[in-house]
Amino acid sequence: MITAGAALVDALREDIDRLAAAEPEVRADAEDSVHQMRVATRRLRSVLRSYGKLLAKKPAAAMGAELKWLAGLLGEARDAEVRADRFATLLADHAERADPAELDAVTARLVDAERERYRAAHDEVLTALDGARYRELRDELSRWRTDPPLRHSRADAAAPDVFREVLRRDLDRVESLIRAEPTVDPLERVELLHDIRKSAKRLRYSCEAAQQVLGDDAADRGVRAKKLQTVLGDHRDAVESHDAILHRAAEAAAAGERAGLYEALAATEDAAAGRELSRYPATAAALFGAAVITG
């Protein structure tokens, strides 16, 4: 019988190795490297939260706090990278219909500004990777790779029983948020959808950690959770892009620049957000069954 502790060690080792492998790529500023390291950091932190009852409370909380710090650093760079790429794609789609001078001005405020933010944030990441705090985190993760601080009173239980309980709890969390969604004020809906996305992501990661223990059932649930996470993530990206474009449009107008292209880009993002939101009920239904989302 495989114990829950042994199964968790295997899952943590994979995530720790994934994070370590991304570090040299980030240092070299390789394409998508910041994203990969941020995902590895968030995945590891999420698994610690879902399976936290198997771990000693204080060291697990301390590790979670350090992973949150690292993810935050990486997030500054990653968010700027995503915005720059998204704005560049939007502008390319509108380039033929735009006045060249206006296109250049909008590109400077949207794409060039975000790429400069990325460079500054990436420099901060590199400074942190060379610092004592990250070295201590990396050393601690190396120890956790084979010997995490397990609570053996719980970790010695059968892995399938414990892992099923974790997945059930994470699934219930998503379900309760989805049931609440039809009842909230429209002004609060965007944030609740974001919370649903985060809970779906946590479910996805806990399912992926359980895949070697629970097999196809966990794998299938994880795939469906990922679809819900993706739809709501794409919705969130479009909403945030729309808001950022309107903010830059206000800055441009205050500087005496034309705002017509900004308005066209914002309308495109508003439509994109609507399309993604229309996919949400089906992806939620696929995860839980249609009755869950009827409210």
Side-chain angles (χ1 to χ4, degrees), residues 36-52:
Q36 293 304 319
M37 191 172 187
R38 184 192 193 192
V39 167
T41 304
R42 285 179 155 186
R43 177 192 295 267
L44 182 54
R45 180 170 175 248
S46 182
V47 169
L48 292 183
R49 293 172 69 192
S50 289
Y51 294 88

Side-chain angles (χ1 to χ4, degrees), residues 183-202:
T183 69
V184 300
D185 185 281
L187 295 176
E188 300 174 358
R189 190 183 188 207
V190 170
E191 288 307 312
L192 181 54
L193 290 170
H194 185 47
D195 289 342
I196 293 171
R197 172 184 176 265
K198 290 189 292 185
S199 66
K201 180 168 61 175
R202 178 169 170 176

